[in-house]
Amino acid sequence: MGNSFGLGELGFLIQGLKWTVLLAVIAFIGGGIGGLGVALARTSTSWGLRRITAGYIAVFQGTPLLMQLFVIYYGLGLVGLTLPAWLAVAIAFTLHASAFLGEIWRGAIEALPKGQFEAAKALGLHYVPRMRDVILPQALRIALPATIGFLVQLIKGTSLAAIVGFIELARAGQIVSNQTYAPLLVFTVVGAIYFALCWPLSLYGTHIENRISRTAR
Amino acid sequence: MPSTTPSAPAGDPLIVMEAVNKWYGTYHALRDVNLSVGRGEKIVLCGPSGSGKSTLIRCINQLETIKSGSITVDGTRLDDSSRSVDAVRSEVGMVFQSFNLFPHMTVLQNCTLAPMRVRGIPAAQAEATARRYLERVRIAEHAHKYPAQLSGGQQQRVAIARALCMEPKVMLFDEPTSALDPEMVKEVLDTMVGLARDGMTMVCVTHEMGFARQVADRVIFMAEGEILEQADPETFFRSPRHPRARSFLGEILAHH
């Protein structure tokens, strides 16, 4: 057929972009909550919790995101759970992000001086206020650059959702490219959109990193 | 200071350690330590590094767990239950060598956090108490600064005020002046002397022998995890009985 690349096509890409952003936001929020749980479990005094979450992290860090999407999307279908594609994909990304953010934040928690934990304990602060008021605010600050770095990876990673037929930005680009026979133009636009999304975040991450390294003497 | 201590009549020791043993792997850090600290008593623990004196006071608030023996603080026996640990920690103040102020909080927030979170004291009241103690360690004008904006001596005085805000029954000091520049040692020691004069029960690990002479009711000398000698400061400094105490004092006093 062969349309040319016009406003309609751009609109289609923007539709895809909406899904990309939505997926990234869901994954980041879900992964933020899950990752917090994983980081706390990894730094807990319970051997069992530490082992289980270590195994979980090993699996999700040691396999490609693509495989994780496949297994969760088709796996859920095999056990009779028919979820909408976007939900299955959101679950997969949440599990993926939880593992990575959990590991980033675990490292930050363990990077804090032991004296911070001891001072909080010596004051009689129980686990919840100890973590919430003393440890986590400091750990998250340390982890912010790495966290933003992961968020950028995650945004680009959402393109893999195309594999299960999900029409996000990259898949939308592919479709438009097939219709217009102008792959170079289309993918340049798609690339520019990803760049516009990710680059400011990267800049912000660098900015935060500089600020932290300055204040840390 | 709260005077509600129905659990143990006055005159009873505040801290009792009986046959306490502590191991780090195969290293025997505390050997059959027996120690009782009376209410209002000021104790200075000294000894060569690695003698177990810091370990000893860290066992009192369960920053270290013991292998055998028993520790009782104000009538509460420390067992593995988190209830006994929490009960003891909220009554025992601790000052560390490295201050350990919370760097993301202002001086005032450092001081109000535990009273609000542990005792459930309303913010306004916690702040009033904090200001009173900051005044007492003469640092009230820095209440809204962050720890990094203060000198080491100032930070340590804030750390003392922070511990006092919980109105503890006993204060533990773990080499509070060892990380300080020499010119700041005095301001911290003066604060501690003031605290001692006000009747606070204190257990201090320190090499400041002048401080020990001035305030200690009892000096305890430790080496290799054992209490080798205890005496009033006058006796201890004039005529230490144990040869290890004699050589330790010789070394320490040679540098002062």
Side-chain angles (χ1 to χ4, degrees), chain A residues 4-213:
Chain A
S4 63
F5 187 80
L7 274 181
E9 283 67 30
L10 190 62
F12 191 68
L13 291 185
I14 299 296
Q15 288 295 320
L17 171 66
K18 275 203 294 201
W19 279 109
T20 292
V21 170
L22 191 63
L23 259 188
V25 167
I26 290 174
F28 195 67
I29 292 171
I33 296 165
L36 186 64
V38 169
L40 291 176
R42 285 286 287 135
T43 53
S44 80
T45 50
S46 154
W47 183 86
L49 273 181
R50 287 202 309 269
R51 288 315 309 160
I52 291 168
T53 42
Y56 165 72
I57 290 170
V59 167
F60 277 84
Q61 285 197 336
T63 56
L65 177 54
L66 190 60
M67 299 276 298
Q68 294 162 18
L69 279 166
F70 259 134
V71 168
I72 290 164
Y73 184 72
Y74 294 110
L76 287 177
L78 279 180
V79 297
L81 256 176
T82 41
L83 295 174
W86 72 269
L87 189 55
V89 169
I91 290 172
F93 275 107
T94 295
L95 289 173
H96 176 80
S98 297
F100 277 83
L101 289 175
E103 189 67 356
I104 290 171
W105 295 342
R106 173 199 64 80
I109 289 171
E110 288 177 352
L112 289 183
K114 234 176 94 207
Q116 291 293 311
F117 295 85
E118 289 182 347
K121 284 182 185 170
L123 282 167
L125 288 168
H126 306 267
Y127 181 76
V128 172
R130 190 161 76 227
M131 297 312 278
R132 185 192 56 207
D133 298 325
V134 177
I135 302 304
L136 291 177
Q138 297 185 63
L140 293 182
R141 219 174 92 90
I142 297 175
L144 206 50
T147 303
I148 291 171
F150 176 73
L151 178 58
V152 170
Q153 293 289 329
L154 196 64
I155 290 172
K156 293 185 289 181
T158 55
S159 63
L160 292 173
I163 204 71
V164 293
F166 196 80
I167 304 174
E168 42 60 67
L169 181 55
R171 176 77 183 137
Q174 202 181 3
I175 292 169
V176 172
S177 159
N178 287 345
Q179 288 172 346
T180 59
Y181 301 114
L184 199 62
L185 172 65
V186 172
F187 284 112
T188 302
V189 172
V190 167
I193 295 175
Y194 274 114
F195 187 75
L197 213 54
C198 296
W199 192 52
L201 275 173
S202 296
L203 278 185
Y204 180 62
T206 313
H207 167 72
I208 299 261
E209 198 167 351
N210 287 338
R211 214 183 58 194
I212 288 175
S213 62

Side-chain angles (χ1 to χ4, degrees), chain B residues 69-118:
Chain B
S70 77
I71 301 176
T72 308
V73 179
D74 196 28
T76 305
R77 184 173 163 164
L78 277 165
D79 45 43
D80 290 335
S81 76
S82 62
R83 209 159 47 88
S84 74
V85 174
D86 291 339
V88 165
R89 281 180 181 162
S90 62
E91 302 300 338
V92 176
M94 186 166 209
V95 176
F96 299 86
Q97 179 176 351
S98 49
F99 328 139
N100 296 343
L101 294 178
F102 305 136
H104 61 301
M105 294 182 185
T106 64
V107 163
L108 197 61
Q109 289 168 334
N110 263 279
C111 291
T112 55
L113 178 68
M116 287 165 62
R117 296 285 188 263
V118 180

Side-chain angles (χ1 to χ4, degrees), chain B residues 108-176:
Chain B
L108 197 61
Q109 289 168 334
N110 263 279
C111 291
T112 55
L113 178 68
M116 287 165 62
R117 296 285 188 263
V118 180
R119 299 238 193 269
I121 290 170
Q125 195 188 330
E127 206 175 305
T129 307
R131 288 194 186 279
R132 199 168 75 239
Y133 283 112
L134 288 171
E135 196 70 55
R136 184 155 151 192
V137 301
R138 291 195 213 88
I139 206 135
E141 70 274 21
H142 299 301
H144 288 288
K145 289 192 180 165
Y146 284 88
Q149 294 168 277
L150 304 179
S151 73
Q154 291 171 328
Q155 288 192 47
Q156 194 60 301
R157 284 185 284 143
V158 171
I160 292 172
R162 176 175 72 174
L164 289 175
C165 283
M166 285 294 284
E167 318 222 288
K169 297 199 171 75
V170 54
M171 286 282 284
L172 310 174
F173 290 86
D174 191 0
E175 305 206 23

